[in-house]
Amino acid sequence: MKFFIDTANLDQIKEAQELGVLDGVTTNPSLMAKEGITGEKNILNHYIEICNIVNGDVSAEVRSTDYQGMMDEGRKLAALHNQITVKVPCTINGIKAIKTLTNEGIKTNCTLVFSPGQALLAAKAGATYLSPFIGRLDDNSTDGIELIAQIVEMYNYYEFDTQVLAASVRHTMHIIQCAEVGADVITAPLNAIMGLINHPLTDIGLAKFLEDYKKMD
Ligand code: G3P
């Protein structure tokens, strides 16, 4: 299971990288805007900076909604760095763009996925990654983890190469549940990744061990 961090914040990306378990980064327009990045030149430079911090794939999202615009942007983003994965929304034009980008050897991440039907089309088009948004489904009284399980089963049955990248992960239990149903990748905020380490019995146990060590001085 790969761990991606879902942020455009360079300090958080560095912190996750230093932990030694980071396999990639996902960004989206909202996360980029949160960092106050404006203007095309700064946006493109920011993607390159992220690529220089991590070893794995870095998702950069197109803003066009028409096929040709997605293609032009996708090619430009992919040319920035060999770690760039072009993130494309799950629309009819997006599926067409994923198919062509895939044929050109460009990695893609099909985003804003909320149903098994969308997942099927994205896999048929050859998407490298598929991003179902589990937190946003949970927000709407629908079980996001159940969708991940359905897609994993469907993809395994037909041996699709597309990797299921669980997105809109909000907390540590989402990560555990994604692991239980076989998601290939999770992308999560830093606090959810770091939160996996927390257990009060570890803290209590360590304090006791250190106390007993003192008896041996
Ligand atoms: O990777 C997609 C993710 O950033 C969306 O998360 O919390 O805005 O639903 P959220």
Side-chain angles (χ1 to χ4, degrees):
M1 185 192 205
K2 292 183 197 167
F3 271 33
F4 288 5
I5 187 167
D6 196 26
T7 185
N9 182 285
L10 299 180
D11 289 336
Q12 291 188 14
I13 293 168
K14 281 179 196 152
E15 197 176 333
Q17 174 67 22
E18 280 164 15
L19 187 62
V21 301
L22 193 65
D23 300 299
V25 177
T26 51
T27 65
N28 64 35
S30 308
L31 295 171
M32 293 288 280
K34 199 171 157 190
E35 298 308 312
I37 304 151
T38 52
E40 192 190 4
K41 192 164 174 256
N42 291 333
I43 292 171
L44 298 181
N45 282 339
H46 199 80
Y47 290 138
I48 294 171
E49 276 197 74
I50 294 174
C51 289
N52 289 337
I53 297 171
V54 298
N55 298 322
D57 289 344
V58 174
S59 289
E61 189 158 341
V62 298
R63 75 188 298 171
S64 300
T65 54
D66 63 300
Y67 169 77
Q68 195 53 53
M70 287 176 175
M71 288 306 305
D72 294 344
E73 270 188 76
R75 287 175 182 135
K76 192 170 181 177
L77 288 168
L80 280 181
H81 199 286
N82 63 9
Q83 286 167 237
I84 291 286
T85 297
V86 180
K87 205 171 182 188
V88 178
C90 195
T91 60
I92 290 295
N93 287 335
I95 295 297
K96 288 180 191 169
I98 286 168
K99 178 72 184 175
T100 312
L101 291 167
T102 301
N103 286 344
E104 293 181 9
I106 293 172
K107 288 174 286 189
T108 58
N109 177 352
C110 185
T111 189
L112 289 168
V113 170
F114 295 94
S115 79
Q118 292 176 322
L120 196 52
L121 277 178
K124 291 281 291 174
T128 315
Y129 298 104
L130 178 93
S131 291
F133 278 29
I134 59 179
R136 292 191 195 182
L137 280 169
D138 289 355
D139 289 342
N140 283 279
S141 312
T142 303
D143 189 344
I145 297 295
E146 179 56 33
L147 177 64
I148 299 293
Q150 264 182 298
I151 297 170
V152 166
E153 188 181 355
M154 194 167 72
Y155 279 12
N156 284 344
Y157 193 80
Y158 290 103
E159 298 180 351
F160 284 123
D161 292 330
T162 301
Q163 297 176 57
V164 180
L165 190 171
S168 186
V169 164
R170 302 277 174 77
H171 47 71
T172 56
M173 275 313 292
H174 270 157
I175 300 177
I176 304 295
Q177 289 167 325
C178 282
E180 284 172 348
V181 299
D184 301 291
V185 191
I186 56 94
T187 189
L190 183 63
N191 64 341
I193 294 172
M194 293 299 191
L196 291 170
I197 204 74
N198 293 343
H199 202 289
L201 290 179
T202 304
D203 300 337
I204 292 165
L206 182 60
K208 175 80 173 109
F209 285 156
L210 292 176
E211 198 182 301
D212 289 340
Y213 245 129
K214 283 187 196 153
K215 296 174 191 164
M216 294 184 272
D217 286 342

